Amino acid sequence: MTLLCRKGLHDLDDPAVARTAACPCGCARRYCLLCRTAAERERRARAREVRRGPVQLEWTGPRRLSRSGRYQRRRGRGAPLGLRTGRLAYRITPQERQVLQLLADGLSGSEIAERLWLARLTVRDRLMKNIRLKYGVASNAAAVAQGLKRGAVRPDPAGRRLPRTKAVRDGARSVIRLVKGERRPRHDRSRALQAMLDGLYAWSEAHAVSLLWSAGHITSRHVPQTRNAYRGEGVRTRAAKEAA
């Protein structure tokens, strides 16, 4: 009868595979060297991933490491991208990235819901709200600017054909103020908004950001560094609830 290891993969009668270890009771026990080596490698790889932390795929600004982070960098261990002394930056989900791209292309909330086969309230109250919270902004236009800065959104190439007129320059200054948080987003039916969008050949303020980014009127220096205010479901602690 052949004696196999616990996983049933190797023969413990083979001296090249089997090893003998002393039990606490004093008797000898055979174990599989290959299985133990594989388990040890898997444990070290898992510990290495935990030590490195989550990988941030988006640009999260300059890294301000704590003393322990700088110590690890000097020892060659490395620190995760986006590690700061404050709150870590959140990554948007693929569905939120798709919604943000459609916003940059000029679609409204109802059109995005129809394109993605979702409810209009789901797009407006959940996806768009989570994007604004994760990027730490108060408007969809500023969220598009943050996505363009971090490389999560592609700008509209039609902005390269914008004319060099006074209306475009005035509209760019107004949109830059919105991106910096110096003014609130205008109502969709306001005459001032319609006049600005007509001068920029845009469908919305978020689309205007994408066009002006492609034209070079808005760059990463106009987009401020923000901190996210997103807290997922079940993450809020008792102290945070009491503070709120």
Side-chain angles (χ1 to χ4, degrees), residues 231 235-244:
R231 290 185 180 275
V235 178
R236 301 188 64 181
T237 58
R238 181 180 300 176
K241 292 181 180 179
E242 294 176 355

Side-chain angles (χ1 to χ4, degrees), residues 28-67:
R29 182 177 62 88
R30 283 186 292 181
Y31 65 90
C32 180
L33 178 63
L34 299 180
C35 293
R36 176 171 291 191
T37 303
E40 182 68 19
R41 289 178 179 176
E42 184 178 357
R43 187 190 63 80
R44 290 182 180 178
R46 193 181 303 112
R48 194 180 304 115
E49 292 178 1
V50 173
R51 186 167 59 250
R52 288 178 178 177
V55 178
Q56 299 289 335
L57 300 180
E58 298 176 4
W59 188 85
T60 56
R63 287 180 287 183
R64 298 194 297 272
L65 301 179
S66 59
R67 294 186 61 182

Side-chain angles (χ1 to χ4, degrees), residues 3-234:
L3 181 62
L4 300 178
C5 62
R6 292 183 178 181
K7 295 184 178 181
L9 301 177
H10 308 100
D11 184 7
L12 294 183
D13 294 333
D14 188 359
V17 174
R19 292 293 185 271
T20 304
C23 291
C25 62
C27 63
R29 182 177 62 88
R30 283 186 292 181
Y31 65 90
C32 180
L33 178 63
L34 299 180
C35 293
R36 176 171 291 191
T37 303
E40 182 68 19
R41 289 178 179 176
E42 184 178 357
R43 187 190 63 80
R44 290 182 180 178
R46 193 181 303 112
R48 194 180 304 115
E49 292 178 1
V50 173
R51 186 167 59 250
R52 288 178 178 177
V55 178
Q56 299 289 335
L57 300 180
E58 298 176 4
W59 188 85
T60 56
R63 287 180 287 183
R64 298 194 297 272
L65 301 179
S66 59
R67 294 186 61 182
S68 60
R70 290 195 295 267
Y71 177 72
Q72 290 182 358
R73 286 291 301 275
R74 287 197 300 268
R75 297 194 64 179
R77 296 180 181 178
L81 292 176
L83 179 61
R84 298 194 295 265
T85 55
R87 196 179 300 162
L88 285 176
Y90 281 85
R91 292 181 298 177
I92 59 176
T93 62
Q95 190 178 37
E96 293 170 351
R97 187 188 300 268
Q98 190 176 8
V99 170
L100 193 62
Q101 182 63 57
L102 294 176
L103 278 174
D105 292 340
L107 275 68
S108 62
S110 301
E111 293 171 343
I112 293 174
E114 185 178 358
R115 177 77 64 88
L116 300 180
W117 293 81
L118 296 173
R120 183 172 58 87
L121 295 179
T122 301
V123 175
R124 187 190 68 182
D125 296 341
R126 187 169 68 87
L127 296 176
M128 291 183 179
K129 182 179 179 181
N130 287 348
I131 293 172
R132 292 193 298 268
L133 288 176
K134 289 180 180 181
Y135 282 159
V137 295
S139 63
N140 294 333
V144 170
Q146 292 288 338
L148 289 168
K149 179 179 179 180
R150 300 164 189 261
V153 180
R154 299 186 307 274
D156 191 347
R160 302 172 185 173
R161 300 191 295 271
L162 282 179
R164 301 288 179 174
T165 59
K166 183 177 182 299
V168 173
R169 292 194 296 269
D170 293 343
R173 284 193 290 268
S174 178
V175 173
I176 289 174
R177 289 183 58 213
L178 176 61
V179 169
K180 291 182 177 180
E182 298 176 358
R183 73 169 179 88
R184 295 181 179 180
R186 294 193 176 100
H187 194 271
D188 293 342
R189 298 182 180 180
S190 64
R191 295 183 179 180
L193 176 62
Q194 295 300 327
M196 184 191 70
L197 295 180
D198 290 343
L200 295 175
Y201 304 94
W203 296 103
S204 61
E205 289 181 320
H207 187 216
V209 171
S210 180
L211 292 173
L212 293 172
W213 187 282
S214 182
H217 292 282
I218 298 179
T219 59
S220 58
R221 65 185 180 89
H222 297 110
V223 183
Q225 179 69 19
T226 58
R227 298 183 64 182
N228 73 83
Y230 175 77
R231 290 185 180 275
E233 298 180 358

